[in-house]
Amino acid sequence: GTVAGPALAAAVSNAGACGVLGTASLPAKVVREQIRQLRSRTDRPFGVNLVLAILRRGQIEVCLEEKVPLLVLFWGDVEPHVAEAHRHGVKVFAPVGSVAEAQAAAAAGVDAVIAQGVEAGGHVKGTTSLSVLLPAVVGAVRPVPVIAAGGIGNGAGLVSALVLGAQA
């Protein structure tokens, strides 16, 4: 399985944040099972992360059928998936590593952009530090909400991200 499985995602959601289930290249059947396990552990909002560059057949459909609250779509063109997700009442967030990616995601109709600085863990696409990327993305996609990711390890980092324009 993945590191960010149902137990971790549920714990994060139960603590008041938004846990996100990592799926990587799991088969759709396993994604469905993990969504159901996650739901059995929390009644709070959560997301499912899908890496579009390695998307497996049926992964998105399972998420829509299960009516997950949030899809986090990364490493690929989100545009073909946004309208269908919205028809199912599912919000879509897109991690980005550049202003151009942020603008494309906003134009596609995502509900929020995740400005991911090079300091972030996991699948990092960008090469720019969060302190430089974040204000540029905020200015480029306003009024789309921007979430900061990467290099935030304490209260000072959180305050800095909020001062630079992040909504979360």
Side-chain angles (χ1 to χ4, degrees):
T2 60
V3 173
L8 178 59
V12 171
S13 289
N14 287 334
C18 182
V20 178
L21 179 67
T23 63
S25 62
L26 295 174
K29 175 183 169 185
V30 175
V31 172
R32 184 183 310 275
E33 290 168 7
Q34 290 200 349
I35 291 168
R36 290 178 177 174
Q37 287 176 29
L38 174 53
R39 275 219 168 90
S40 74
R41 296 170 180 250
T42 187
D43 60 357
R44 310 292 298 260
F46 65 89
V48 175
N49 183 17
L50 297 174
V51 181
L52 296 173
I54 58 172
L55 189 67
R56 293 189 63 173
R57 191 177 85 227
Q59 284 182 319
I60 289 180
E61 293 79 6
V62 161
C63 291
L64 299 180
E65 290 166 10
E66 293 292 327
K67 297 193 184 306
V68 300
L70 168 65
L71 277 178
V72 180
L73 301 178
F74 189 49
W75 270 6
D77 182 10
V78 299
E79 193 276 329
H81 310 289
V82 174
E84 185 67 14
H86 287 165
R87 277 193 285 281
H88 283 83
V90 175
K91 293 191 180 306
V92 179
F93 289 8
V96 301
S98 71
V99 169
E101 283 183 299
Q103 289 171 320
V110 298
D111 298 285
V113 168
I114 302 170
Q116 186 187 51
V118 70
E119 308 90 343
H123 301 289
V124 179
K125 190 173 182 185
T127 59
T128 306
S129 72
L130 183 63
S131 64
V132 173
L133 179 65
L134 180 58
V137 167
V138 168
V141 302
R142 188 173 281 123
V144 176
V146 177
I147 299 164
I152 302 170
N154 56 30
L158 172 60
V159 169
S160 177
L162 295 174
V163 167
L164 291 172
Q167 282 77 46

